[in-house]
Amino acid sequence: MSFKTIKITIIGLLFCLNFYGQSAPENFDNPILPGYHPDPSICRVGDDYYLVNSTFIWFPGIPVYHSKDLVNWELIGHAINRPEQMDFTGLPDKLGVFAPTIRFHDGLFYIINTCVGCGMNFYVTATNPAGPWSDPNWLPEAPGIDPSLMWDDDGKCYYTGMTGVEDKQWPDQSVIFNQELDLNQKKLVGERHELTFGHANNASYSEGPHLYHINGKYLLMLSEGGTGLFHALTVHHSDSINGPYIADYINPVLTHRNLGLDYPLHAIGHGDLVQTQHGEWWSVMLGKRNIDRIITLSRETFLAKVEFEGQTPIFNPGYGKVLMEQKRPDLPWIPVKKNPIKDQFEGDSLALKWYTIRTPKESFYTLKDGLLKLKLRKEVMDSLVNSSILVQRIEHHKFEAATKMSFKTSKANEQAGITIYRTNENHYTLLKDKTSLVLLKTFMGEKTEIARIPYKSKEVYLKVKANDLEVQFSYGTAMESLQPIGEKQSLIVIADGQGNAMFNGPGVGVYATSNGKKSKNNAVFDWFTYSEK
Ligand code: 6LW
């Protein structure tokens, strides 16, 4: 090998190796955002991609992700992270912030969304997508849910949304409409135009619309069939922004509803399109991985290639479905810093991956000297108000989470420990109290004590280990000598469709409560680990 060849090889290798020392793979794996990541919307600004999801009553709300390659995503902030912006108090877990749309126009980022149960449609803006985001601009005149924005060549901003139909011709009929949004007056103006009821004459829940102006034609992409098994993406074309829109013959352009109940990926729909700086088209969409038809990870975000044949987007040409692995976009490979397995609670703020449930009205934790101190408050996670709970997304069917906690009490009402949370009526807790450790299951609002073990010392290690549909809780005075508490438990407790578990997703984390009485006590957490197993 000549010196020149060696030099070229080394330069080539350096190009292939990014700054984390990983070589760029040929393929990527789906989902690109595992775990609770429903209703994705995406936009590109130059070489940068931004993606948002719905979060219902989790706080902070509406995560903003950034990527350079459409595969590696870094959480950079949240659109709703100040309690004054939005109040989720009193809302069931399936309400709150629904499907957002993110767009960039004229130097400003826009996220438009609906807070169902707390003010309905609104938009927030930011010059930096990591935040701060503005207070919500409420649009009380905008009916329905799932708003989207599009700026047309005339410089006007168009709002597209879905709303109900008064005299329904078939069950669950809804309508997609558009109207001009005057950004100076911050309200919808002019006439409202009905665009479509969906592509089929029994289309249910036409929703999640996005409007694109591509090669002089208007493309309206929406979802039909509801966000479960019958979910599908359809497209509709028009020469004029206000219609008439003609359904594409290829509809639905993407669905898994014809693949059968036992196909491991259900509910594909609710998508958004993006064109790369190199001209490729890609789409993000939601889907539900299932085990034996049971969905414990809720709706996740997937990526699929799109090629246009004329005006028609063809999703994953030759396959027509979402793939678990495929060739990655033609973009430089830029991995992002992964969340460390062990959160040592260093620094003075929690990592962005942590959420509480419903808007906090007071501060309930502190971080100091590498310790997370959780205040015991009278609120409980079974109610519809914020309690002292902090969770992060469960992203894998097989995972392990553990913590080291110091907690001592002389009062029978005080408890603290670890939790797997889906809704106020569906969760597990492994809690330490005055005299013991207790494993509690709350399923469809009914609480059962699974196991109780006398436990005295102040320090305790608590662990959950999930294997598909089962979870084993354990405890001990050292990580090396943990003992199981109770039998293996079923994760059906946090699965979709069980009681009030719908739309939102599951989390794992820490919790402390004084069960209705005032308290000055704290539970102190040294670290928290989460990893795929
Ligand atoms: C959302 C709707 C949907 O607003 O589910 O899957 C609703 N699509 O578009 C709640 O996420």
Side-chain angles (χ1 to χ4, degrees), residues 169-461:
Q169 290 162 280
W170 60 82
D172 304 323
Q173 183 187 12
S174 60
V175 64
I176 305 297
F177 68 92
N178 76 351
Q179 196 171 351
E180 190 188 334
L181 172 61
D182 183 328
L183 291 166
N184 293 320
Q185 294 188 63
K186 299 183 174 167
K187 64 176 199 180
L188 297 185
V189 295
E191 217 183 311
R192 192 169 294 158
H193 302 270
E194 290 193 343
L195 306 185
T196 182
F197 300 105
H199 91 290
N201 66 4
N202 62 351
S204 64
Y205 303 111
S206 292
E207 60 189 13
H210 294 300
L211 198 49
Y212 312 89
H213 195 173
I214 303 171
N215 296 334
K217 288 257 194 184
Y218 294 90
L219 176 78
L220 173 63
M221 183 160 87
L222 53 116
S223 295
E224 297 177 23
T227 195
L229 202 61
F230 305 129
H231 217 193
L233 281 170
T234 66
V235 295
H236 311 255
H237 308 280
S238 180
D239 291 324
S240 144
I241 190 158
N242 298 327
Y245 280 84
I246 308 296
D248 199 305
Y249 283 120
I250 289 176
N251 280 329
V253 286
L254 184 66
T255 187
H256 281 201
R257 66 183 171 197
N258 52 339
L259 299 178
L261 278 165
D262 293 321
Y263 196 74
L265 181 54
H266 289 167
I268 290 295
H270 200 105
D272 197 2
L273 293 168
V274 70
Q275 188 176 29
T276 70
Q277 61 272 34
H278 305 313
E280 282 186 344
W281 284 92
W282 289 84
S283 176
V284 287
M285 69 286 298
L286 71 80
K288 301 182 183 186
R289 284 185 285 169
N290 67 85
I291 294 172
D292 301 338
R293 305 181 184 180
I294 293 163
I295 295 138
T296 54
L297 293 179
S298 75
R299 299 175 298 170
E300 313 178 278
T301 292
F302 294 79
L303 180 69
K305 179 93 169 65
V306 172
E307 275 171 28
F308 276 88
E309 294 188 356
Q311 303 297 322
T312 304
I314 305 291
F315 285 73
N316 284 339
Y319 298 96
K321 60 182 180 182
V322 170
L323 302 169
M324 294 314 285
E325 186 186 344
Q326 73 183 98
K327 193 164 185 288
R328 69 178 184 86
D330 177 21
L331 292 170
W333 180 249
I334 314 280
V336 297
K337 228 166 105 192
K338 290 234 157 62
N339 281 324
I341 287 175
K342 192 170 202 171
D343 192 333
Q344 307 262 27
F345 301 123
E346 301 290 353
D348 50 16
S349 57
L350 278 176
L352 288 173
K353 67 181 177 189
W354 288 103
Y355 294 81
T356 189
I357 306 294
R358 299 183 180 80
T359 310
K361 296 291 172 69
E362 56 188 349
S363 77
F364 62 89
Y365 65 87
T366 52
L367 285 165
K368 212 178 156 209
D369 304 328
L371 299 173
L372 167 68
K373 221 181 205 191
L374 206 52
K375 277 189 198 167
L376 270 75
R377 294 186 293 159
K378 60 182 187 327
E379 289 77 15
V380 290
M381 66 162 80
D382 311 70
S383 68
L384 300 181
V385 299
N386 177 248
S387 63
S388 294
I389 179 171
L390 288 168
V391 291
Q392 59 181 88
R393 289 177 180 81
I394 295 174
E395 298 181 350
H396 309 93
H397 282 121
K398 297 180 200 300
F399 75 91
E400 199 173 284
T403 191
K404 179 184 174 193
M405 179 179 79
S406 301
F407 173 64
K408 200 170 162 52
T409 179
S410 56
K411 305 206 170 96
N413 57 299
E414 298 191 345
Q415 298 174 308
I418 199 165
T419 180
I420 291 181
Y421 181 90
R422 176 71 192 255
T423 73
N424 70 315
E425 295 180 355
N426 287 28
H427 49 78
Y428 282 106
T429 50
L430 171 55
L431 303 174
K432 180 174 184 294
D433 63 19
K434 188 179 162 189
T435 54
S436 50
L437 288 168
V438 57
L439 176 61
L440 297 163
K441 171 171 98 172
T442 305
F443 186 37
M444 301 209 206
E446 198 182 316
K447 203 177 280 291
T448 317
E449 186 173 306
I450 306 285
R452 183 178 283 274
I453 286 173
Y455 192 90
K456 279 277 165 57
S457 64
K458 187 175 180 190
E459 278 187 0
V460 62
Y461 293 79

